[in-house]
Amino acid sequence: MKVRTAGEGRADEPRDERPDAGPPDPEATRVFERTRTVDPEATRVFTRPGTAQGPTPEILDGPDGPGDPPDPVERGRGGGGRPPRRRRPRIRLGRIIALLVVAALAVPPGTWTWVWWTARQDERPTSDTILVLGASQYNGRPSPIFEARLEHAAHLYEEGVAPTIVTVGGNQPGDNYTEGGSGRDWLVGQGIPAESVVAVEEGSNTLRSMEAVSDVVRANGWSSTVIVTDPWHSLRSRIMAQDQGMEAHTSPVRSGPAVIERKTQLWYITRETGSLWYYWLFGDSADADLDIDTGTDAA
């Protein structure tokens, strides 16, 4: 006996149509569409009086969150905006000319002050030599200016500043003695050992004297020197010596005709200012001479 469970075999049996099923009623499947009207009052835009209505600004998200303005660099890299435009500096010709004029007017007083300041310094470091720049001599006798320098050099030697004194200077046309030789003889006559004095009997001006001394300095293996000259001549002498490769210091005299009268001092400072600029511009000594002296250091 075969027992069939509920539902078994029903899938194979044809489903009976509803007996009362008829053709589909068109009213039963009708689709109703609702017509939507836009109320102009519901979308009215209210604007504040006195303000111009424009496009709503775009709010960009920055590094700190929404609403934070983006970094200008990021905007330039594609963050949604143009990079800031750099303003080119405007060069004004009038301003440049004004600066040049001010500099031109300030340089001479500055150099004048430098000459004056160096003249007031007294440097006495232990050195290889003491260099005495020549001045006028009269048949082997040093002039008052030259003698003041020699006395100061002898004093430095006695203090032990250097073991050797170098005197330098040639002669004027018609002279029988040189400034370097006259200075050596005067020092030896004052008790300075002859072996401690070296005379360089060359040089028609400060630059030529420094060139001649530099050859002697290198030949003897010296390097440092203390220059003895008039105060206002110190700066130019030191610069020329340094340009010749010497380690130069200055110890100017504090007595003599070149430092007594104030009128002479002012003239000497002004003259040295011009001579120093002449050297810087043309690389040579000026050809002017002092009225109080006509030695080789006067140019």
Side-chain angles (χ1 to χ4, degrees):
M1 181 176 179
K2 185 175 181 181
V3 180
R4 187 173 61 179
T5 61
E8 182 179 357
R10 293 183 180 180
D12 300 330
E13 296 178 2
R15 177 176 295 181
D16 296 334
E17 299 289 335
R18 293 179 59 180
D20 55 349
D25 188 2
E27 295 294 328
T29 60
R30 182 180 298 174
V31 178
F32 293 91
E33 293 183 1
R34 185 179 179 180
T35 304
R36 188 174 183 179
T37 59
V38 179
D39 188 1
E41 296 295 329
T43 59
R44 182 179 300 174
V45 178
F46 294 91
T47 59
R48 183 172 297 177
T51 59
Q53 183 177 359
T56 303
E58 181 183 3
I59 300 178
L60 301 177
D61 293 340
D64 296 334
D68 180 64
D71 186 81
V73 177
E74 295 297 331
R75 295 186 63 177
R77 293 176 180 175
R82 299 179 61 184
R85 188 175 183 181
R86 295 184 178 180
R87 297 181 60 184
R88 296 182 179 180
R90 298 176 61 184
I91 301 176
R92 298 183 178 180
L93 182 59
R95 183 174 299 178
I96 295 177
I97 295 176
L99 291 176
L100 292 176
V101 171
V102 171
L105 295 176
V107 164
T111 307
W112 196 97
T113 304
W114 191 15
V115 172
W116 171 83
W117 174 256
T118 305
R120 299 174 65 86
Q121 310 308 308
D122 190 353
E123 303 171 329
R124 303 184 180 189
T126 302
S127 305
D128 296 326
T129 63
I130 300 168
L131 174 59
V132 185
L133 296 182
S136 297
Q137 55 80 30
Y138 309 110
N139 292 326
R141 180 175 59 86
S143 65
I145 287 181
F146 195 12
E147 186 174 339
R149 299 178 187 180
L150 295 169
E151 288 179 354
H152 187 61
H155 179 67
L156 295 178
Y157 175 84
E158 293 170 356
E159 284 188 350
V161 173
T164 304
I165 300 177
V166 178
T167 58
V168 62
N171 55 2
Q172 300 295 326
D175 289 349
N176 296 321
Y177 299 88
T178 62
E179 296 169 5
S182 300
R184 175 197 56 202
D185 296 342
W186 188 94
L187 289 169
V188 172
Q190 297 298 315
I192 305 298
E195 59 272 16
S196 298
V197 183
V198 176
V200 180
E201 302 182 79
E202 300 178 41
S204 57
N205 54 41
T206 305
L207 181 58
R208 300 294 174 262
S209 296
M210 289 299 181
E211 292 173 347
V213 170
S214 65
D215 294 336
V216 176
V217 166
R218 284 191 291 268
N220 288 274
W222 300 328
S223 60
S224 58
T225 187
V226 175
I227 301 173
V228 176
T229 185
D230 298 333
W232 329 114
H233 190 225
S234 296
L235 177 59
R236 184 161 60 102
S237 302
R238 185 182 69 190
I239 291 176
M240 289 183 175
Q242 291 172 342
D243 290 347
Q244 294 299 319
M246 290 180 276
E247 180 185 343
H249 304 274
T250 56
S251 180
V253 300
R254 300 301 176 190
S255 60
V259 296
I260 292 178
E261 298 181 4
R262 185 171 299 274
K263 179 180 178 181
T264 302
Q265 296 177 16
L266 295 176
W267 158 242
Y268 212 159
I269 295 175
T270 303
R271 174 190 175 277
E272 281 297 320
T273 300
S275 297
L276 182 56
W277 272 101
Y278 186 92
Y279 171 69
W280 282 335
L281 293 174
F282 303 105
D284 200 356
S285 285
D287 293 329
D289 291 333
L290 273 177
D291 294 336
I292 59 176
D293 192 23
T294 57
T296 58
D297 68 328

